[in-house]
Amino acid sequence: VNDFQANVTIYNTIIYNWKSGADADFGGIASTTCNALNVYNSSIWGGYYGIKNTAGTVTVKNCAVGNNTDDFLGTFTMDYIVSDDNHSADCATYFAYPTAGTGNWSLDFTTPGSNFTLLSTATNLLDDGLADVFTEDDDIIGTARPQGSAWDIGAFEYIVVAGGQVIIVDGD
């Protein structure tokens, strides 16, 4: 975003794998002269900077940002953040990013079929978000928020599957 008069809102977005060596100009989201930038319920993974702010007001809520060289550069108003950089002093509600291989979040892009959907074991992402941070209540694929007791953090809402009964029919 490079327009001081711009007011931009980004939500339910996945940004990943945008890195060119050690080039520090690569940011998943970059605000250079924005009036106001709001980033909600997004998953940002695998770049140099997750979100870079050099000017303007940037608000980040319900976002999962990790596996970047640096998740945040600049000044932000943020809350309900999951990050693998310690931002506990930067926001009122901060959760540590799941450790790779723990089964909390399918984020291993070296494995075919991996994506940013949440697993039932993602205890630091499920039901830990802030409700109604923007007018759209659905996640990136149209799942209504919340499915549990509160919104989930990131672009996806975990889909709670109702219990069912398996009926085996005999061939007679």
Side-chain angles (χ1 to χ4, degrees):
V1 179
N2 190 13
D3 181 349
F4 186 72
Q5 296 178 353
N7 294 310
V8 177
T9 299
I10 299 170
Y11 62 91
N12 287 345
T13 302
I14 298 171
I15 300 171
Y16 69 96
N17 283 350
W18 71 91
K19 192 187 284 189
S20 179
D23 189 339
D25 285 333
F26 280 78
I29 298 173
S31 173
T32 55
T33 56
C34 183
N35 181 50
L37 172 61
N38 302 303
V39 183
Y40 305 131
N41 283 91
S42 293
S43 301
I44 303 167
W45 184 87
Y48 196 87
Y49 291 113
I51 304 176
K52 180 179 177 181
N53 179 25
T54 56
T57 302
V58 178
T59 301
V60 184
K61 293 185 180 180
N62 285 359
C63 290
V65 184
N67 199 37
N68 302 290
T69 303
D70 193 356
D71 291 345
F72 297 94
L73 174 69
T75 303
F76 301 89
T77 299
M78 55 185 177
D79 206 6
Y80 293 85
I81 299 299
V82 173
S83 171
D84 59 0
D85 297 344
N86 188 348
H87 288 281
S88 58
D90 301 326
C91 56
T93 310
Y94 165 79
F95 301 97
Y97 191 81
T99 304
T102 62
N104 285 345
W105 201 356
S106 182
L107 284 177
D108 179 8
F109 279 88
T110 60
T111 303
S114 294
N115 56 43
F116 285 90
T117 57
L118 297 173
L119 302 176
S120 63
T121 55
T123 56
N124 50 354
L125 299 167
L126 298 178
D127 299 334
D128 282 333
L130 180 64
D132 298 322
V133 292
F134 56 97
T135 57
E136 177 59 54
D137 283 346
D138 294 344
D139 76 354
I140 192 169
I141 59 171
T143 303
R145 293 184 189 266
Q147 289 290 305
S149 61
W151 284 32
D152 296 338
I153 294 175
F156 286 97
E157 182 77 8
Y158 178 72
I159 299 172
V160 177
V161 179
Q165 201 173 33
V166 176
I167 300 172
I168 300 173
V169 178
D170 191 342
D172 293 344

